[in-house]
Amino acid sequence: MLINDTIHSDPDYVGFIKKVKDNTGIDLSQYKEAQMKRRLTTLRTKNGFSTFSAFFDAMLKDKTLFYEFLDRMTINVSEFWRNPNRWEVLRDSILPQLQKNNGKNLKVWSAACSTGEEPYTLSMILSDKNLLSSTTLHATDIDDGALEKAKKGMYLERSLKDVPADVAKRHFTADGHMFHISDSLKKAVNFRKGNLLTDTFETGYDLIVCRNVMIYFTEEAKNMLYHKFANSLRPGGVLFVGSTEQIFSPAQYGFETSETFFYYKKG
């Protein structure tokens, strides 16, 4: 993929992009350049580095700095039941239809799961509909630090602000200022590292949830990912995207709109 002219004007940043890709497989050129460069410049300056070259050398030596880079790059901001009305649509409309089409054995993937709020929201809904024990639930993210937090399942109270009170009571235990997700939900989610842009996806998913990450990718990267998601879903499977990520002309990927921000794969 060609890097745009704005990046070409800054050889220091061009070199940084190449080094990151060569050493980690992360291709920053597939993220929107203006947003990404601004975000990383702030991080670089905050840590006292005047060039991206020096910043990269420090990242190789300091794992904490590298994890901070990943956090800034991947925007690890999440919360349970984000945009609650969309999760209600999933619970009340989408899941019953998937269950009707495919029985109780569902295969679900939370892509770019960050620190775990999204897959745990899925697991709560599946549990309350008596579907969790028969569902295979995968969750992936590129950030090792975020995945470690997800596996611990400990969250500040503000992350639970949109969780219905009865749901929170069933699935969380308070411990001072922290809330622990139940062990049964932790065991139900298979967390693992994954790079959306370079990985080959598993197939046969009934539901893929990828929310609030596509907005950071270039149009070329989005186009590639929508095709990959479509190929990963079984016919009749559903892609659930974020509230700012409506897919225009979904038919080009083999999708049809089911509900707002839900797209099912034509079979």
Side-chain angles (χ1 to χ4, degrees), residues 4 18 35 54 83 88 90 99 102 119 128 130 147 153 157 162 164 188 193 200 223 228:
N4 66 36
K18 185 177 186 305
Q35 293 178 354
N83 308 118
E88 290 165 7
L90 175 70
Q99 185 182 1
N102 200 38
D128 291 343
N130 296 314
L147 289 171
E157 185 175 8
D162 288 327
K193 188 169 184 176
T200 299
N223 181 64
K228 289 176 72 174

Side-chain angles (χ1 to χ4, degrees), residues 1-266:
M1 178 179 297
L2 290 177
I3 303 173
N4 66 36
D5 291 339
T6 305
I7 298 180
H8 274 309
S9 66
D10 186 350
D12 181 42
Y13 191 63
V14 171
F16 180 76
I17 288 175
K18 185 177 186 305
K19 289 175 182 177
V20 168
K21 184 175 181 180
D22 289 346
N23 283 269
T24 69
I26 298 169
D27 189 355
L28 293 175
S29 72
Q30 298 202 62
Y31 292 77
K32 292 179 180 176
E33 186 269 336
Q35 293 178 354
M36 184 58 67
K37 186 179 178 185
R38 181 171 60 250
R39 191 176 299 124
L40 294 180
T41 298
T42 300
L43 177 64
R44 186 201 76 195
T45 303
K46 186 195 85 168
N47 282 281
F49 298 98
S50 59
T51 67
F52 279 105
S53 178
F55 180 51
F56 179 81
D57 291 341
M59 276 170 37
L60 287 183
K61 299 173 184 176
D62 185 345
K63 186 174 288 188
T64 300
L65 188 60
F66 179 70
Y67 285 155
E68 190 176 4
F69 156 72
L70 285 178
D71 281 342
R72 187 63 60 91
M73 187 203 83
T74 53
I75 322 299
N76 285 322
V77 177
S78 188
E79 57 201 24
F80 296 96
W81 289 72
R82 188 173 181 175
N83 308 118
N85 62 327
R86 294 296 90 200
W87 290 103
E88 290 165 7
V89 170
L90 175 70
R91 179 191 63 199
D92 299 334
S93 178
I94 302 299
L95 279 178
Q97 189 61 47
L98 291 175
Q99 185 182 1
K100 179 181 176 181
N101 293 344
N102 200 38
K104 280 194 172 184
N105 297 312
L106 300 177
K107 185 176 181 181
V108 178
W109 176 23
S110 171
C113 69
S114 186
T115 48
E117 289 88 341
E118 181 180 277
Y120 285 137
T121 299
L122 279 166
S123 67
M124 289 178 222
I125 292 171
L126 289 162
S127 176
D128 291 343
K129 293 186 74 69
N130 296 314
L131 292 170
L132 187 59
S133 62
S134 56
T135 296
T136 300
L137 179 51
H138 296 153
T140 63
D141 199 89
I142 199 170
D143 185 345
D144 288 313
L147 289 171
E148 285 304 310
K149 291 177 183 177
K151 291 174 184 177
K152 289 178 182 176
M154 295 176 59
Y155 299 92
L156 291 170
E157 185 175 8
R158 65 171 179 263
S159 298
L160 281 67
K161 66 183 180 65
D162 288 327
V163 181
D166 61 318
V167 176
K169 187 175 181 179
R170 282 194 296 274
H171 298 296
F172 288 93
T173 302
D175 181 8
H177 296 295
M178 303 299 291
F179 283 76
H180 295 255
I181 198 83
S182 70
D183 286 342
S184 62
L185 296 193
K186 283 201 290 187
K187 291 175 183 176
V189 184
N190 176 22
F191 288 103
R192 61 193 184 199
K193 188 169 184 176
N195 186 330
L196 293 178
L197 296 173
T198 61
D199 288 354
T200 299
F201 298 167
E202 284 190 30
T203 57
Y205 284 106
D206 296 280
L207 173 66
I208 297 175
V209 182
C210 187
R211 307 179 74 223
N212 309 302
V213 66
M214 302 292 281
I215 55 173
Y216 301 111
F217 292 132
T218 63
E219 290 304 312
E220 293 86 349
K222 287 181 189 176
N223 181 64
M224 174 190 68
L225 278 171
Y226 287 138
H227 280 295
K228 289 176 72 174
F229 284 140
N231 290 334
S232 193
L233 286 164
R234 66 164 182 79
V238 172
L239 174 65
F240 177 19
V241 301
S243 58
T244 60
E245 298 172 321
Q246 187 171 356
I247 302 175
F248 298 100
S249 302
Q252 65 182 306
Y253 308 110
F255 287 127
E256 287 188 12
T257 303
S258 174
E259 301 268 358
T260 307
F261 309 117
F262 293 90
Y263 301 88
Y264 74 89
K265 179 180 177 177
K266 293 183 287 188

